[in-house]
Amino acid sequence: MFHKYLSSALLLGLLLTAVGCKDPNHARTKTQTLPSAEVRVITVAGQASQRQIEVAGAVEAVQKATIAAKISGVIEELPVALGAVVKKGALLVKISAGEITARLSQAETQLAQAQRNFEREKRLLEKDASTRETVKSLEDAYRVAEAGASEARAMRNYAMITAPFAGIITQKMTNTGDLATPGTPLLVLENTEQLQVVVAAPEGMALKIKQGDTLPVSIPAAEFSQTGTVTEISPSADSASRTALVKLRIEGDASLRPGQYARVALPGGAAADTFLVPETAVFRFGQMERLFVVQENTAHLRLVRSGEHRNGQVEILAGVNGGEQVVAQGGERLVDGQPVRIVQ
């Protein structure tokens, strides 16, 4: 038993000795044996960058009309379907208007009678067989009848609802046989040839926007990206959301539809110093972003945090200092601590 414990003690001692005798400079020695790599570098410098914040919005038609009835009646005809393309003046809805037609007939009859009376009395006045007062009274009656007939014609026209402009029927809230009442929406007509993006901008940012400004607009569903021109800015902010409506005109595109989700980049706070490096200098490792900085001809790994990507460059928000040399090409094969040789 004693020999068994002695053997175990000797074995443990040998293991501890082996660990304790391990060279602490082993990792450094291994790194120093790495071959020197050729790299291209850039010297980063702070650049003024205006911060931008994206807000959500929606695509809308500049021309949009909610078609509603002005009179009550049963819908006799509804010749348009959802998504139908209509021309200006095309018939959209016909409402039954029997009472209005009868009223128009009555008004036109009264107008014809008042006109005959007025003309007859004028001829009698020319023969001194009437008085000016009588003629004036009949003339007034004629004018009243004329106004009544005009009103009846207008009411009859209300029974025939036509398109105020060319566009597409984007909503249909009624069908043939339904009862139309004044003010009740029947259809929605939109002109998709002229589109805009409407966003609710935080009140602080809205103050920095003026009519005529151009802002970046993106519509992911349509793979659409361009600048929009600010056409309208609400002069007041919503007291609940503390936002103000901003409208931007965009150029038409076949893939754009009213109601699509849009993003608009608004100017944010004051300009801040940031660093721009080529996109080839930054590498992703899982959720981390990293690059290499050269100091004394040695590559040192840095974890960084990036911002916007634009024109082949990436904004570095943290992890790099001004004046440092960043590996722009050749960093994908580097190891932390590897010697490098800078080439032009």
Side-chain angles (χ1 to χ4, degrees):
M1 182 66 69
F2 173 75
H3 293 290
K4 181 179 180 181
Y5 286 127
L6 179 62
S7 300
S8 298
L10 290 174
L11 179 60
L12 179 59
L14 290 173
L15 290 174
L16 292 175
T17 302
V19 173
C21 293
K22 185 176 181 180
D23 185 2
N25 298 321
H26 175 71
R28 183 170 57 207
T29 303
K30 181 179 179 181
T31 301
Q32 290 175 346
T33 61
L34 291 173
S36 178
E38 292 186 351
V39 296
R40 296 181 185 274
V41 300
I42 63 165
T43 302
V44 296
Q47 300 186 18
S49 175
Q50 184 72 31
R51 307 302 301 156
Q52 291 186 332
I53 297 178
E54 284 192 341
V55 294
V59 179
E60 292 185 2
V62 175
Q63 278 188 307
K64 179 179 179 179
T66 300
I67 308 300
K70 293 183 178 181
I71 60 174
S72 296
V74 175
I75 297 177
E76 283 187 345
E77 295 183 26
L78 193 62
V80 293
L82 190 63
V85 179
V86 299
K87 297 180 179 180
K88 181 179 180 180
L91 178 65
L92 301 180
V93 182
K94 181 180 178 181
I95 299 174
S96 175
E99 294 181 1
I100 295 175
T101 302
R103 188 183 307 174
L104 175 59
S105 179
Q106 181 182 9
E108 289 178 340
T109 301
Q110 291 174 347
L111 174 61
Q113 183 178 0
Q115 184 176 12
R116 287 195 302 270
N117 292 339
F118 174 53
E119 296 292 342
R120 184 185 66 250
E121 205 64 26
K122 281 199 305 181
R123 290 192 297 269
L124 292 175
L125 180 61
E126 293 173 356
K127 299 177 181 180
D128 294 328
S130 182
T131 62
R132 292 185 178 277
E133 290 76 9
T134 303
V135 172
K136 182 65 171 65
S137 178
L138 291 176
E139 182 180 9
D140 290 344
Y142 169 67
R143 300 303 178 195
V144 171
E146 189 175 39
S150 296
E151 180 183 8
R153 291 191 193 98
M155 294 294 290
R156 183 192 60 183
N157 292 337
Y158 290 159
M160 307 285 288
I161 304 177
T162 58
F165 53 81
I168 296 177
I169 304 298
T170 57
Q171 294 185 50
K172 183 179 177 182
M173 295 83 85
T174 190
N175 295 290
T176 303
D178 290 345
L179 177 64
T181 56
T184 302
L186 305 176
L187 304 167
V188 174
L189 176 67
E190 298 186 42
N191 181 3
T192 56
E193 296 297 324
Q194 299 178 357
L195 297 175
Q196 63 185 357
V197 171
V198 180
V199 297
E203 56 184 354
M205 297 180 184
L207 294 174
K208 301 174 183 178
I209 303 172
K210 61 181 182 296
Q211 194 171 8
D213 285 351
T214 56
L215 301 174
V217 176
S218 63
I219 304 170
E223 298 182 352
F224 176 90
S225 180
Q226 66 171 223
T227 57
T229 303
V230 177
T231 57
E232 296 181 40
I233 306 173
S234 175
S236 61
D238 182 84
S239 59
S241 62
R242 300 299 180 188
T243 59
L245 284 182
V246 178
K247 297 182 179 181
L248 302 95
R249 179 72 62 85
I250 56 177
E251 297 296 329
D253 188 277
S255 59
L256 297 181
R257 297 288 186 275
Q260 286 176 326
Y261 171 78
R263 295 197 303 264
V264 177
L266 302 180
D273 283 341
T274 58
F275 303 106
L276 295 178
V277 301
E279 291 182 337
T280 55
V282 181
F283 304 92
R284 295 194 67 89
F285 183 76
Q287 298 297 320
M288 297 183 296
E289 295 174 307
R290 58 183 185 172
L291 51 71
F292 284 94
V293 173
V294 175
Q295 294 177 346
E296 298 180 354
N297 294 324
T298 303
H300 296 279
L301 181 66
R302 291 279 184 85
L303 297 180
V304 297
R305 181 163 58 90
S306 66
E308 297 180 3
H309 291 245
R310 54 181 181 270
N311 301 324
Q313 292 188 311
V314 58
E315 181 184 28
I316 303 299
L317 304 177
V320 174
N321 299 316
E324 290 187 312
Q325 290 183 315
V326 172
V327 176
Q329 292 182 1
E332 65 275 5
R333 296 181 299 273
L334 289 179
V335 177
D336 185 31
Q338 183 174 357
V340 294
R341 184 172 65 258
I342 298 174
V343 297
Q344 300 298 324

